[in-house]
C-alpha cells in the first residue's frame, strides 16, 4: 500500500504511525519515549515525563482519551487505567 505521507518529516504533532501496549512498571522505563498515550479504560495514570522531574498522577482520565504527554516511565503503583497504548 502506498503511503502518501512517507516523504514528510515526523514530528510530535504528526499522527502516530504505530502503537505499542504499555505495561506499567515501577522501575523499568519505556523502551522509547512516545508522542502520546491512548487510554482504553480510564482511571489514574502515574507517569514521569521525558524531561525527568517527579512523578505526576493524571486523575480521572476518560475511556478512549489520548494524552499528549511524553512519558519516560508509566508507574504500576497508583495507576488504575488499563489498555494503555504508547503512540509513536
Amino acid at each position: 500500500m502506498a503511503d502518501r505521507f512517507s516523504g514528510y518529516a515526523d514530528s510530535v504533532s504528526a499522527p502516530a504511525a504505530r502503537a505499542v501496549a504499555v505495561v506499567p512498571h515501577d522501575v523499568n522505563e519505556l523502551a522509547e519515549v512516545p508522542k502520546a498515550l491512548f487510554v482504553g479504560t480510564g482511571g489514574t495514570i502515574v507517569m514521569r515525563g521525558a524531561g525527568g522531574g517527579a512523578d505526576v498522577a493524571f486523575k480521572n482520565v476518560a475511556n478512549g482519551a489520548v494524552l499528549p504527554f511524553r512519558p519516560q516511565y508509566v508507574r504500576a503503583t497508583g495507576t488504575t487505567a488499563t489498555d494503555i497504548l504508547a503512540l509513536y
Side-chain angles (χ1 to χ4, degrees):
M1 170 189 308
D3 181 356
R4 297 183 339 182
F5 299 100
S6 64
Y8 289 85
D10 193 21
S11 72
V12 79
S13 62
R18 62 190 173 94
V20 176
V22 172
V23 178
H25 195 277
D26 285 334
V27 177
N28 296 342
E29 62 185 43
L30 299 175
E32 297 177 68
V33 175
K35 293 180 179 195
L37 293 180
F38 170 81
V39 181
T41 304
T44 297
I45 305 177
V46 179
M47 302 180 277
R48 180 173 295 180
D55 290 352
V56 293
F58 286 64
K59 297 181 179 182
N60 300 313
V61 177
N63 295 346
V66 174
L67 297 177
F69 184 73
R70 301 187 65 225
Q72 184 174 356
Y73 295 89
V74 176
R75 307 295 191 189
T77 300
T79 295
T80 60
T82 59
D83 306 314
I84 301 168
L85 298 175
L87 304 178
Y88 298 99

